[in-house]
Amino acid sequence: MNQKYKPIGEIIVGINGWIEEGHDASVTIIDANEDNCKILGALEEEKVTKNKCAYNTLPVKSLDALIKYLKIDVSDIKKVVFGWNLPMLFQGKNRLMEFSDKQILRMLFPNNNIENKTVGYIDHHLAHAACAFRTSGFERAIVLILDGQGENESGSLWIGQNNGLQRIKTIDIYSSFGYLYEAVNEILGFKVNESGKTMGLAAYGTDQYLDRIKSCFYIRDNFCLNDSMKKYKTAAKRFSSGHMDMQETCIIMWKLFFAEKLGIKPLDKKITSFYDVEEKYRNLAASVQSFLEFAAMELLKPVIEETNIRNVCVGGGVALNCKMNGVLLSQDMVDDIYINPAANDAGVSMGAALEYAKQMGLCSRVPFSGGGLEYLGIEFEDSYIIGKIEEYGMNYDVYDNAEQIIADEVNRGGIVALFQGRNEWGPRALGNRSIIASAASKTMLDYINSKIKKRELGRPLGPTILFDNDEFEDVKGKKSAKYMNIAFRAGADMEKYEAVVHCDNTYRPQFLEKENNDIYYRQIRKIKETSGEAAIINTSFNIETPIIYNVDDAITAFFKSKLTCLVFNNRIVLKK
């Protein structure tokens, strides 16, 4: 029962996060030899600590949880590698990297002695590119990385082929599309990490200001800011407080521009409904969204034409923009697209581990077929779950399988929380920590938004759809749409699922294959057999927190909300 894991090769631990200006702390553990590479586990710190985005920390708790779950002997760890070149970051601010390998390892492993190991660093955008390409299954691909910033760039283009990655273009930090988008987030009253809200709001507006945003860039010169932005850049530097990154400076720069040129200043009240947002703010969201889609296509087009490589990988925090990804996939010049479930900075722990394996001459490609990449966290056994429920004095029922119970609950209009298997990698719930409900009625959308999720009215929800469903046979790229990170234009097949079609007639599906998640597949199939519904609402199991990670939080959330049913491991059922 307590037998330690036996490595097939080298155990490499990838890390994201830092104690100063770090965010999205995470850990990935791989086992690689010359012929095989296996991702053993990956987990974000925010899910364990419940601190959204896990700012200014190392992934200490997630690393400890994963090592214990996988039964890894820390003495078998060969290398710890970061998805940031931290020494370069410090040098860029005329500072010394003040921490030795031994000190960093002590911080990461406070309960273990592995001080004889060494720490490595992979450049940030290379780690993003490795995360995207090395898990895509593509033999050749164009890799587009867009985020706030890396060490010296905010965007980069790569060619992935022959198991290697060649960088062919970069975008400077001041021209960051990620920071531009974050500036709009702040103007709308959202947090900088709430770009998904701006993307959702964009559908309610028109891109009235698109040309004004375009006019700030030399589009044919890697989207460098042009001379018209100099005064805003200079002013922003005066207001900035000298952080290691340039996020604050770039956000201030864009806020100054929008205030002076468009007369748009930050909202002075919190948005509670997307339906009621003032027109100019809806249009600003729509304009920055349209610009992002335009810019991504402009960057990709000449490279695809020159190389005739028609598969595209997208990574970096901007790659969580499912609308942009859908627009890219819809282009005739693109055959297929891939986005890792954790395309944001959490994913660079995976990219760092895989890239280091490549540099050591080990296998670093992970096969895309068969699934499994999306469920890399921690699983809880039935006996543990039942013990926790009994601690709370709750009544529960145990079934051989609860598929019909779930289907009947959804069919009668109930809202079911699922907690099963290993938790998801990345910010999307994909059936193991999910809330599911019927998508047939539009009223379910805002009932879930207001009564369950406690968030803005009008926020879109996405569906789970069985991959082999005949109604969706002709959807381009659905093999890659496993992770709810691509938006598609809704056709006639979606007309009866109003709750998951956004106001711009797009939907963000998880196309679920049996081999990816057999239990969840059977649950969704049983719902279809019972109600006839092919698309089911799937939203993350959380209420004003990161996706729920442990059993205590699942039970607490269930009884504090209007959820009607909670099912653990497809067997243990709590009802109200």
Side-chain angles (χ1 to χ4, degrees):
M1 191 73 175
N2 293 315
Q3 187 175 4
K4 293 291 185 181
Y5 175 79
K6 293 182 179 179
I8 61 167
E10 306 280 319
I11 298 289
I12 302 169
V13 176
I15 297 291
N16 182 55
W18 187 242
I19 57 175
E20 182 183 358
E21 296 182 32
H23 61 93
D24 295 318
S26 70
V27 58
T28 299
I29 303 176
I30 71 170
D31 185 2
N33 59 26
E34 291 183 1
D35 302 312
N36 296 287
C37 179
K38 185 177 182 182
I39 298 175
L40 302 179
L43 185 61
E44 300 100 309
E45 187 78 356
E46 69 166 20
K47 291 174 181 173
V48 183
T49 64
K50 295 183 281 189
N51 294 322
K52 185 67 175 171
C53 294
Y55 288 107
N56 304 325
T57 186
L58 291 163
V60 177
K61 293 185 183 298
S62 49
L63 175 57
D64 183 61
L66 211 51
I67 284 175
K68 288 176 178 174
Y69 175 74
L70 297 170
K71 298 182 171 61
I72 289 174
D73 189 328
V74 294
S75 65
D76 288 331
I77 295 171
K78 300 301 181 184
K79 188 76 173 183
V80 174
V81 58
F82 281 78
W84 280 93
N85 191 329
L86 292 174
M88 183 187 294
L89 274 178
F90 276 88
Q91 186 179 23
K93 290 296 181 181
N94 297 315
R95 295 169 56 185
L96 290 174
M97 177 66 175
E98 300 168 350
F99 297 88
S100 66
D101 288 1
K102 186 176 291 189
Q103 289 172 313
I104 291 171
L105 292 168
R106 282 176 186 165
M107 289 190 288
L108 282 167
F109 300 89
N111 301 316
N112 297 282
N113 180 14
I114 66 162
E115 295 178 2
N116 60 329
K117 312 295 180 181
T118 58
V119 176
Y121 303 97
I122 301 294
D123 287 359
H124 188 61
H125 273 220
L126 176 57
H128 270 308
C131 178
F133 177 62
R134 299 191 184 286
T135 63
S136 69
F138 295 145
E139 289 300 315
R140 303 173 74 218
I142 306 299
V143 184
L144 173 64
I145 305 301
L146 298 171
D147 62 3
Q149 70 170 90
E151 294 83 8
N152 294 304
E153 65 283 292
S154 67
S156 55
L157 271 165
W158 308 70
I159 294 177
Q161 60 183 350
N162 301 325
N163 205 31
L165 283 160
Q166 176 190 2
R167 189 175 65 181
I168 58 172
K169 184 177 289 191
T170 61
I171 300 172
D172 69 70
I173 296 174
Y174 276 111
S175 305
S176 170
F177 303 160
Y179 288 157
L180 164 60
Y181 215 96
E182 288 179 358
V184 175
N185 296 348
E186 284 203 353
I187 289 170
L188 297 171
F190 304 142
K191 296 176 182 176
V192 291
N193 59 23
E194 293 181 324
S195 295
K197 293 186 180 183
T198 299
M199 181 181 66
L201 179 63
Y204 291 90
T206 60
D207 56 6
Q208 173 186 354
Y209 309 116
L210 172 60
D211 288 342
R212 298 302 299 271
I213 297 174
K214 284 183 183 180
S215 71
C216 301
F217 294 88
Y218 292 120
I219 292 171
R220 301 301 174 198
D221 187 15
N222 288 357
F223 280 85
C224 289
L225 290 179
N226 60 34
D227 292 345
S228 70
M229 293 298 290
K230 277 185 178 178
K231 71 173 184 176
Y232 304 109
K233 187 190 300 186
T234 301
K237 287 179 181 178
R238 292 202 304 268
F239 290 111
S240 302
S241 39
H243 294 289
M244 284 180 67
D245 62 34
M246 291 168 58
Q247 180 186 45
E248 182 184 36
T249 302
C250 291
I251 287 176
I252 291 173
M253 175 185 71
W254 282 112
K255 288 166 81 171
L256 291 172
F257 168 81
F258 288 129
E260 181 173 293
K261 293 296 186 182
L262 306 182
I264 300 177
K265 297 181 179 180
L267 269 170
D268 56 5
K269 60 180 180 180
K270 182 180 174 64
I271 291 175
T272 58
S273 169
F274 283 8
Y275 308 125
D276 302 327
V277 176
E278 188 179 344
E279 183 180 20
K280 66 179 180 181
Y281 291 101
R282 298 198 310 266
N283 292 349
L284 178 63
S287 299
V288 74
Q289 178 64 35
S290 289
F291 173 77
L292 182 61
E293 295 163 12
F294 162 79
M297 288 189 292
E298 286 293 307
L299 288 166
L300 283 171
K301 185 177 179 180
V303 183
I304 293 173
E305 289 175 346
E306 182 180 340
T307 64
N308 200 34
I309 298 174
R310 297 167 64 90
N311 290 327
V312 174
C313 301
V314 190
V318 175
L320 294 179
N321 192 297
C322 64
K323 182 68 169 29
M324 177 191 75
N325 297 335
V327 168
L328 294 178
L329 177 60
S330 71
Q331 304 302 303
D332 291 339
M333 64 181 177
V334 174
D335 285 346
D336 207 350
I337 192 169
Y338 171 80
I339 305 99
N340 187 279
N344 61 345
D345 268 14
V348 299
S349 66
M350 183 172 288
L354 295 173
E355 186 60 27
Y356 181 78
K358 166 65 168 59
Q359 293 177 6
M360 293 299 102
L362 305 174
C363 178
S364 62
R365 300 297 306 275
V366 180
F368 182 67
S369 62
L373 184 64
E374 59 269 58
Y375 310 107
L376 294 172
I378 307 296
E379 183 174 8
F380 295 87
E381 296 180 353
D382 287 359
S383 58
Y384 176 85
I385 293 167
I386 288 171
K388 283 291 183 182
I389 295 170
E390 291 178 346
E391 282 180 20
Y392 285 87
M394 306 299 179
N395 295 322
Y396 63 93
D397 294 301
V398 180
Y399 300 85
D400 289 338
N401 76 68
E403 290 148 28
Q404 191 63 59
I405 303 296
I406 293 166
D408 290 341
E409 190 70 21
V410 170
N411 191 39
R412 73 170 187 84
I415 302 172
V416 179
L418 301 176
F419 186 109
Q420 56 200 12
R422 296 179 71 172
N423 67 282
E424 292 89 344
W425 168 239
R428 308 282 184 244
L430 300 168
N432 282 8
R433 302 292 186 273
S434 286
I435 293 171
I436 62 172
S438 169
S441 172
K442 190 75 171 179
T443 58
M444 185 62 82
L445 168 68
D446 281 332
Y447 183 84
I448 290 177
N449 277 331
S450 62
K451 302 299 184 183
I452 305 292
K453 304 280 282 187
K454 311 291 186 185
R455 64 186 199 178
E456 299 86 354
L457 297 177
R459 290 268 300 273
L461 296 171
T464 294
I465 300 169
L466 297 183
F467 182 86
D468 52 13
N469 193 301
D470 292 341
E471 296 177 45
F472 300 88
E473 188 174 5
D474 298 326
V475 176
K476 176 188 176 184
K478 72 174 186 177
K479 185 76 175 177
S480 295
K482 300 180 178 186
Y483 309 136
M484 274 190 160
N485 51 23
I486 303 171
F488 294 83
R489 184 66 55 186
D493 44 23
M494 288 298 295
E495 287 179 356
K496 54 189 173 184
Y497 305 114
E498 294 183 325
V500 291
V501 177
H502 200 28
C503 63
D504 61 351
N505 201 41
T506 61
Y507 67 110
R508 183 195 68 195
Q510 172 196 13
F511 282 111
L512 176 65
E513 294 188 82
K514 191 176 191 297
E515 62 188 355
N516 286 66
N517 189 333
D518 179 63
I519 291 176
Y520 188 43
Y521 179 92
R522 296 199 318 263
Q523 291 166 342
I524 299 301
R525 184 181 62 189
K526 183 62 70 174
I527 293 171
K528 187 173 187 294
E529 291 171 357
T530 302
S531 68
E533 291 187 34
I536 301 299
I537 289 173
N538 171 20
T539 187
S540 55
F541 185 11
N542 63 322
I543 300 169
E544 301 179 299
T545 67
I547 298 176
I548 281 174
Y549 165 78
N550 64 45
V551 177
D552 290 281
D553 289 339
I555 295 170
T556 301
F558 175 61
F559 281 99
K560 284 186 175 180
S561 72
K562 292 187 179 296
L563 292 165
T564 60
C565 184
L566 170 59
V567 180
F568 290 101
N569 290 346
N570 201 34
R571 287 171 43 81
I572 304 160
V573 178
L574 280 70
K575 285 189 174 183
K576 292 177 181 170

